[in-house]
Amino acid sequence: MGGLFGRGDKQNPWIARGEQAFEKQQYADACSHYIRAAELEPQNVDVLVRLANLQRYTGKYADALETYIKITEADTGNRDAWVERALLEGNAGRFENALASLGRITLTGEDTYLKERRCDWLSRVKKYSEAADAVKELADANPENELYHSQYADYLMRSGRYDAALEACTDLISSFPEHAGKYTNDAAFCAEICGDDETALSLYRTLDENDPTGWYRRARLEEINGLFSDAASSYSRVQAHEGKDELQISLRRINSLFWSGKAKEAGAELERLLAEKTE
């Protein structure tokens, strides 16, 4: 550290003062000295880097970002500065700027954290298809990482790429069988959206008992396909979950009972519902 700014010390005494304050752990004073040093030598990248690092270290993130911007303008090939600039922009909620800054460097296999941040920023600006492609790279490099694979499936669904999402969810079910229940609903939904009712129903029939959303989707699909007896049973499962007995679900169950040939039971259920709602 002592010789970092030796060349310009005589012309710029604030550099030496900044170093001395830093060595004494007087970081606020060091920051002030380097501000003065930068005013004397606004194109001295070494001074700007030390100032930016001090500003970030002392929690002056907005000031640090402005300094890193100056660094990247003066030294467009400064990889570290582009990284710090991107991270500060991302932390400030300036996600498009963060993505643009990160795009100025080449990410390597060792830049896992930066790749994760890039995925997050892409999702925050709703570029889900790009986010899916970005996290796919992480998932391929880390086949045991369930989070990467689940994010990939989620981003595919959000981007409307349901065919690929179905494949991703199916892979999750087979690769992480202990958590298969978490992905079955999404896989069935993707199959349903793709028009593959047979696959969707086969998946819905393996749903966890405590998944009312999935059971409702199953009931609706069974109803649409004329499987009224199955639909009535599925609607009953939805009603039983935490005491749910919403009017729409009750009416759909009654309708399914009627069309499955259980008109008497449907009538009794309707009478009960009307009495309840009249009260």
Side-chain angles (χ1 to χ4, degrees), residues 4-5 34 52 55 61 71 81 116 130 139 150 154 168 203 207 225-226 229 233 244 255 257 263 267 273:
L4 185 57
F5 302 118
Y34 279 112
Q55 288 170 326
Y61 302 117
I71 295 169
E116 290 176 342
E130 291 182 47
S150 64
D154 179 57
L203 286 164
L207 285 173
N225 281 272
S229 182
S233 177
K244 284 193 174 184
N255 182 68
L257 285 169
L273 183 62

Coordinates of all heavy atoms in Angstrom, one line a residue, residues 4-5 34 52 55 61 71 81 116 130 139 150 154 168 203 207 225-226 229 233 244 255 257 263 267 273:
L4 N 1.9 2.7 -3.5 CA 1.0 2.7 -4.6 C 0.9 4.0 -5.3 O 0.7 4.0 -6.5 CB -0.4 2.4 -4.0 CG -1.5 2.2 -5.0 CD1 -1.2 1.1 -6.0 CD2 -2.8 1.8 -4.3
F5 N 1.0 5.1 -4.6 CA 0.9 6.4 -5.3 C 2.2 7.2 -5.3 O 2.1 8.4 -5.3 CB -0.2 7.2 -4.6 CG -1.6 6.5 -4.6 CD1 -2.2 6.1 -3.4 CD2 -2.2 6.2 -5.8 CE1 -3.4 5.5 -3.4 CE2 -3.4 5.5 -5.8 CZ -4.0 5.2 -4.6
Y34 N -8.6 11.8 0.0 CA -8.6 11.3 -1.3 C -9.6 12.1 -2.2 O -9.4 12.2 -3.4 CB -8.9 9.8 -1.4 CG -7.7 9.0 -1.1 CD1 -7.6 8.3 0.1 CD2 -6.6 9.0 -1.9 CE1 -6.4 7.5 0.4 CE2 -5.4 8.3 -1.7 CZ -5.4 7.5 -0.5 OH -4.2 6.8 -0.2
A52 N -13.0 5.4 -4.2 CA -14.2 4.6 -4.4 C -14.2 3.5 -3.3 O -15.3 3.2 -2.7 CB -14.3 4.0 -5.8
Q55 N -15.1 5.0 0.0 CA -16.5 5.4 0.1 C -17.4 4.2 0.3 O -18.3 4.2 1.1 CB -16.8 6.2 -1.2 CG -16.2 7.5 -1.3 CD -16.4 8.2 -2.7 OE1 -16.4 7.5 -3.7 NE2 -16.5 9.5 -2.7
Y61 N -22.4 4.6 -0.4 CA -22.6 3.9 -1.6 C -22.9 4.7 -2.8 O -22.4 4.5 -3.9 CB -23.6 2.8 -1.4 CG -23.3 1.9 -0.2 CD1 -24.1 1.8 0.9 CD2 -22.2 1.1 -0.3 CE1 -23.8 0.9 1.9 CE2 -21.8 0.2 0.8 CZ -22.7 0.2 1.9 OH -22.4 -0.7 2.9
I71 N -14.3 6.2 -12.9 CA -13.2 5.2 -13.2 C -13.4 4.5 -14.5 O -12.5 4.4 -15.3 CB -13.0 4.2 -12.0 CG1 -12.6 4.9 -10.7 CG2 -12.0 3.1 -12.4 CD1 -12.7 4.0 -9.5
A81 N -13.5 -2.3 -11.6 CA -14.4 -1.1 -11.5 C -15.8 -1.4 -12.1 O -16.8 -1.0 -11.5 CB -13.7 0.1 -12.1
E116 N -25.2 -15.2 -10.8 CA -26.4 -15.2 -10.0 C -27.1 -13.9 -9.9 O -28.3 -13.7 -10.1 CB -26.1 -15.7 -8.6 CG -25.8 -17.2 -8.5 CD -25.4 -17.6 -7.1 OE1 -25.1 -16.7 -6.3 OE2 -25.4 -18.8 -6.8
E130 N -34.5 -14.3 -21.0 CA -33.1 -14.2 -20.8 C -32.6 -14.7 -19.5 O -31.5 -15.3 -19.4 CB -32.7 -12.7 -21.0 CG -32.9 -12.1 -22.4 CD -32.4 -10.7 -22.5 OE1 -31.3 -10.4 -22.0 OE2 -33.2 -9.9 -23.0
A139 N -27.2 -24.0 -14.0 CA -27.8 -25.3 -13.7 C -27.0 -26.4 -14.4 O -26.7 -27.5 -13.8 CB -29.2 -25.4 -14.2
S150 N -34.7 -25.2 -10.3 CA -36.1 -24.7 -10.0 C -36.3 -23.3 -10.6 O -37.4 -22.9 -11.1 CB -36.4 -24.8 -8.5 OG -35.6 -23.9 -7.8
D154 N -39.0 -22.0 -13.3 CA -39.8 -20.8 -13.0 C -39.7 -19.8 -14.0 O -40.8 -19.2 -14.5 CB -39.4 -20.3 -11.6 CG -40.3 -19.1 -11.2 OD1 -41.5 -19.2 -11.2 OD2 -39.7 -18.0 -11.0
A168 N -38.4 -29.1 -17.9 CA -37.6 -28.7 -16.8 C -38.2 -29.3 -15.5 O -37.5 -29.8 -14.6 CB -37.4 -27.2 -16.7
L203 N -50.3 -36.3 -14.0 CA -49.5 -35.6 -13.0 C -50.3 -35.1 -11.9 O -50.0 -35.2 -10.7 CB -48.8 -34.5 -13.7 CG -47.6 -34.8 -14.6 CD1 -47.2 -33.7 -15.5 CD2 -46.4 -35.3 -13.8
L207 N -50.7 -35.6 -7.0 CA -50.5 -34.4 -6.2 C -50.5 -34.7 -4.7 O -51.1 -35.7 -4.2 CB -51.7 -33.4 -6.4 CG -51.6 -32.6 -7.7 CD1 -52.9 -31.8 -7.8 CD2 -50.5 -31.6 -7.7
N225 N -63.0 -32.5 -19.2 CA -62.9 -33.7 -20.0 C -64.1 -34.7 -19.7 O -64.0 -35.8 -20.2 CB -61.6 -34.4 -19.7 CG -60.4 -33.8 -20.4 OD1 -60.1 -34.1 -21.5 ND2 -59.8 -32.8 -19.8
G226 N -65.1 -34.2 -19.0 CA -66.3 -35.1 -18.8 C -66.1 -36.1 -17.8 O -67.0 -37.0 -17.7
S229 N -67.5 -37.6 -12.2 CA -67.4 -38.3 -10.9 C -66.0 -38.0 -10.2 O -66.0 -37.7 -9.0 CB -67.5 -39.8 -11.0 OG -67.5 -40.4 -9.8
S233 N -65.2 -35.6 -6.8 CA -64.3 -36.0 -5.7 C -63.2 -35.0 -5.5 O -62.8 -34.7 -4.3 CB -63.7 -37.4 -6.0 OG -62.8 -37.8 -5.0
K244 N -62.3 -25.1 3.5 CA -62.8 -24.3 2.4 C -64.1 -24.8 1.9 O -64.3 -26.0 1.7 CB -61.8 -24.3 1.3 CG -60.5 -23.5 1.6 CD -59.7 -23.3 0.3 CE -58.6 -22.3 0.5 NZ -57.8 -22.0 -0.7
N255 N -72.7 -29.5 -9.7 CA -72.8 -29.7 -11.1 C -72.2 -31.0 -11.5 O -72.8 -31.7 -12.3 CB -72.2 -28.5 -11.9 CG -72.4 -28.6 -13.4 OD1 -73.5 -28.5 -13.9 ND2 -71.3 -28.8 -14.1
L257 N -71.6 -33.6 -9.6 CA -72.4 -34.7 -9.1 C -73.6 -35.0 -10.0 O -73.9 -36.1 -10.3 CB -72.9 -34.4 -7.7 CG -71.8 -34.5 -6.6 CD1 -72.4 -33.8 -5.3 CD2 -71.4 -35.9 -6.3
A263 N -77.9 -37.3 -9.3 CA -78.8 -36.1 -9.2 C -79.4 -36.0 -7.8 O -79.5 -34.8 -7.3 CB -79.9 -36.3 -10.3
G267 N -78.9 -32.7 -5.6 CA -80.1 -31.9 -5.1 C -80.0 -31.7 -3.7 O -80.3 -30.5 -3.2
L273 N -76.9 -26.0 0.5 CA -76.2 -24.7 0.1 C -77.2 -23.5 0.2 O -76.8 -22.5 0.7 CB -75.5 -24.8 -1.2 CG -74.7 -23.7 -1.7 CD1 -73.5 -23.4 -0.8 CD2 -74.2 -23.9 -3.2

